[in-house]
């Protein structure tokens, strides 16, 4: 499934108010982890609501290559017959992760900690992303990086040690991918692995490890950090899991309804884990009319139906400490900010530069193409609006980045002359049903 060769230009035009209900696809972070822990468990893991986007399908393929049986029932339930910790098979092929940073980095922790040799590769976007942040702790755990592209990038080959070394590791940036790679590698280490984070990042790995039967403790550290301790070589047992809807995908219909006059929608079953809801916090501060209905627990996470109505938004300052809880949501927040009154200042966005694209630059360029007043100062993005939609009429370059594509299509729903994106094919990595789902709410998005 290679989208890179066949771009799909898309265009969004202003039109109807949005109405109706929709359920965004399953959470991408949880979907990757469910497959990976299913691989490492003994017995069968059954997963409903899995995100069937390209990124996650790559992880499923990698699990198969490492020895798991992964199948999908007719009713959409995924079954993973795991090999158990220590039981990975050496794959006969390169593991091609496509666009998937999370899948590839987490799997480096898994495969690197086993005595197998595994080569990782990906698309043009993944080949640009830094892997040194994962290779550094893994090397300390005894993993050999046999080959790597310049600057610690894929394609790269890892050779696992005979016995993985349990370490204590302080993550240099608040990144759930780094934390998870170390914890997953620690599963095959004889002893205790400790990860120290100075700012808490999403905690799905920790929660799910507990669910699968690992001995894991999480304690507060400093003002906003955590210390996570995992006992190595547990016996993980297959579980039944329901994947909640992805708040990072829900962000697109939510902001669409907030900025499109007359809109009133319900976005169902959205995971409201506080380490993922920084965007909602920010939007509420901006004056958004969002109410939480029917809060309940689903798959070890709290979910709610979010009712969202068109709102007059005002600019706010988003503090850098909030970045880990909304790291993937800055592009769509910039779109909300473009339609708000006053200045929105988003601070401390350096990690955006190493996402599927240099997202800070891609957002700034897209805003320029839409005629939005903005500046980038160091790691801060400042967007100014007067409460009316921008002119639009331009084309945003997506650089193989799904969230850039969806964000500028949302802006096109209100921009006077709409907005185009050069390529929407990558949307399939996280939200395969985006265009039809948005159309069902009344949005005018089409190819061309
Ligand atoms: C993810 C963590 C985040 C996020 C990514 C998914 C995860 O990356 O941007 O989309 O599932 O662990 P970092 O941990 O590198 O910030």
């Amino acid at each position: 499934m290679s989208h890179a060769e066949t771009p799909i230009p898309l265009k969004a035009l202003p039109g109807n108010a949005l109405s109706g209900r929709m359920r965004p696809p399953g959470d991408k972070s949880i979907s990757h982890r469910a497959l990976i822990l299913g691989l490492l468990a003994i017995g069968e893991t059954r997963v409903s609501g899995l995100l069937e986007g390209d990124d996650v399908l790559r992880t499923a393929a990698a699990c198969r290559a490492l020895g798991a049986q992964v199948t999908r029932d007719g009713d959409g339930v995924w079954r993973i017959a795991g090999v158990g910790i220590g039981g990975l098979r050496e794959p006969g092929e390169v593991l091609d992760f496509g666009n998937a940073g999370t899948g590839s980095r987490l799997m480096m922790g898994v495969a690197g900690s086993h005595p197998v040799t595994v080569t990782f590769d990906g698309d043009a976007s993944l080949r640009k992303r830094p892997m040194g942040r994962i290779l550094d702790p893994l090397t300390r755990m005894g993993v050999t990086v046999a080959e790597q592209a310049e600057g610690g990038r894929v394609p790269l080959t890892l050779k696992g040690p005979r016995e993985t070394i349990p370490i204590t590791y302080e993550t240099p940036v608040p990144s759930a991918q780094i934390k998870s790679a170390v914890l997953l590698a620690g599963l095959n280490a004889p002893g205790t692995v400790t990860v120290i984070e100075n700012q808490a990042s999403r905690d799905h790995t920790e929660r799910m490890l507990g669910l699968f039967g690992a001995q894991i403790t999480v304690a507060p550290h400093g003002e906003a950090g955590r210390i996570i301790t995992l006992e190595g070589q547990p016996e993980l047992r297959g579980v039944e899991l329901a994947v909640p809807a992805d708040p990072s995908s829900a962000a697109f219909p939510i902001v669409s309804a907030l900025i499109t006059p007359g809109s009133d929608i319900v976005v169902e079953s959205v995971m409201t884990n506080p380490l993922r809801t920084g965007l909602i916090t920010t939007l509420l501060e901006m004056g958004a009319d969002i109410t939480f209905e029917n809060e309940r627990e689903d798959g070890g996470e709290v979910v709610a139906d979010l009712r969202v109505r068109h709102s007059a938004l005002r600019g706010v300052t988003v503090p850098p400490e909030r970045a880990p809880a909304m790291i993937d949501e800055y592009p769509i927040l910039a779109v909300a900010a473009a339609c708000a009154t006053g200045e929105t200042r988003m601070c401390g966005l350096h990690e955006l530069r190493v996402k599927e694209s240099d997202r800070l630059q891609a957002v700034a360029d897209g805003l320029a193409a839409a005629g939005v007043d903005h500046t980038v100062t160091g790691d801060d993005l400042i967007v100014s609006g007067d409460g009316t939609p921008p002119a639009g009429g331009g084309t945003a370059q997506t650089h193989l980045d799904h969230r850039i594509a969806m964000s500028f299509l949302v802006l096109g729903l209100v921009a006077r002359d709409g907005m185009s994106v050069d390529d929407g094919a990558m949307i399939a990595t996280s939200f395969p049903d985006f265009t039809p789902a948005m159309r069902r709410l009344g949005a005018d998005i089409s190819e061309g």
Side-chain angles (χ1 to χ4, degrees):
M1 223 190 285
S2 176
H3 335 282
E5 294 126 40
T6 43
I8 304 175
L10 294 173
K11 183 167 184 133
L13 292 170
N16 301 328
L18 304 186
S19 62
R21 303 176 74 88
M22 66 103 70
R23 187 192 196 281
D27 186 68
K28 184 148 77 75
S29 295
I30 292 190
S31 296
H32 283 300
R33 288 159 172 83
L35 291 168
I36 290 173
L37 291 189
L39 160 73
L40 294 173
I42 301 285
E44 187 176 82
T45 294
R46 279 196 294 278
V47 188
S48 59
L50 189 90
L51 165 64
E52 294 178 348
D54 191 40
D55 276 16
V56 174
L57 298 180
R58 301 281 182 160
T59 294
C63 288
R64 282 192 195 102
L66 291 163
Q69 268 180 32
V70 184
T71 51
R72 181 189 189 275
D73 288 352
D75 57 0
V77 173
W78 285 72
R79 291 171 187 269
I80 305 111
V83 295
I85 293 165
L88 295 193
R89 177 178 81 196
E90 185 161 286
E93 71 240 36
V94 170
L95 302 188
D96 182 350
F97 277 92
N99 198 245
T102 305
S104 58
R105 288 176 169 146
L106 268 51
M107 208 55 113
M108 284 178 197
V110 171
S113 59
H114 283 70
V116 291
T117 298
V118 181
T119 300
F120 293 79
D121 203 356
D123 69 5
S125 156
L126 196 65
R127 282 181 171 207
K128 285 190 198 149
R129 300 183 68 182
M131 296 298 168
R133 51 179 55 200
I134 304 295
L135 303 179
D136 173 45
L138 290 186
T139 307
R140 296 190 204 187
M141 297 177 90
V143 181
T144 304
V145 184
E147 281 175 66
Q148 58 184 298
E150 209 187 316
R153 291 181 161 75
V154 295
L156 63 81
T157 300
L158 301 184
K159 271 187 203 295
R162 243 179 313 142
E163 193 164 82
T164 301
I165 304 163
I167 59 167
T168 293
Y169 190 70
E170 183 173 332
T171 55
V173 286
S175 159
Q177 294 181 353
I178 303 176
K179 167 177 66 181
S180 302
V182 175
L183 291 174
L184 291 170
L187 282 174
N188 199 27
T192 308
V193 168
T194 303
V195 179
I196 302 168
E197 322 188 84
N198 292 310
Q199 255 184 291
S201 64
R202 65 188 69 191
D203 59 357
H204 309 304
T205 302
E206 298 90 303
R207 285 170 183 256
M208 212 184 282
L209 278 169
L211 222 57
F212 276 76
Q215 247 189 291
I216 182 160
T217 57
V218 180
H221 170 66
E223 260 178 41
R226 290 184 173 181
I227 297 190
I228 303 115
T229 315
L230 172 72
E231 295 310 320
Q233 299 182 328
E235 188 170 286
L236 302 183
R237 288 265 152 208
V239 300
E240 200 151 322
L241 257 178
V243 181
D246 194 328
S248 299
S249 296
F252 301 103
I254 289 172
V255 170
S256 301
L258 288 174
I259 63 176
T260 308
S263 297
D264 184 351
I265 65 167
V266 175
V267 188
E268 294 174 345
S269 302
V270 180
M271 179 170 54
T272 56
N273 179 322
L275 292 167
R276 295 289 299 280
T277 47
L279 174 72
I280 304 287
T281 306
T282 305
L283 291 171
L284 290 171
E285 287 174 1
M286 294 172 83
D289 182 350
I290 303 175
T291 49
F292 287 54
E293 298 176 351
N294 195 16
E295 281 186 82
R296 59 207 183 269
E297 205 171 299
D298 197 355
E301 296 278 358
V302 177
V303 302
D305 301 332
L306 304 188
R307 180 159 184 198
V308 188
R309 282 172 271 210
H310 171 252
S311 310
L313 302 176
R314 0 168 240 283
V316 293
T317 294
V318 189
E321 314 82 75
R322 199 175 291 162
M326 56 177 296
I327 192 68
D328 291 334
E329 280 66 79
Y330 286 102
I332 191 65
L333 177 62
V335 166
C339 302
T341 304
E343 190 178 275
T344 299
R345 188 176 272 266
M346 299 163 235
C347 306
L349 307 190
H350 45 90
E351 275 294 295
L352 257 58
R353 296 209 182 267
V354 291
K355 294 297 174 188
E356 284 82 333
S357 65
D358 175 345
R359 271 192 187 149
L360 191 46
Q361 192 59 50
V363 168
D365 293 346
L367 291 173
V372 177
D373 184 5
H374 69 284
T375 45
V376 175
T377 315
D379 290 333
D380 296 352
L381 172 64
I382 301 146
V383 178
S384 301
D386 62 6
T388 62
T395 300
Q397 305 297 318
T398 54
H399 304 283
L400 301 178
D401 189 328
H402 52 135
R403 299 198 204 280
I404 296 297
M406 288 185 275
S407 297
F408 284 100
L409 289 170
V410 170
L411 186 56
L413 300 180
V414 294
R416 289 198 292 283
D417 296 324
M419 273 304 281
S420 297
V421 299
D422 64 335
D423 181 13
M426 278 300 152
I427 291 172
T429 61
S430 66
F431 199 158
D433 196 35
F434 173 76
T435 302
M438 293 299 294
R439 279 197 197 132
R440 284 194 293 274
L441 294 176
D444 184 350
I445 301 178
S446 55
E447 282 191 30

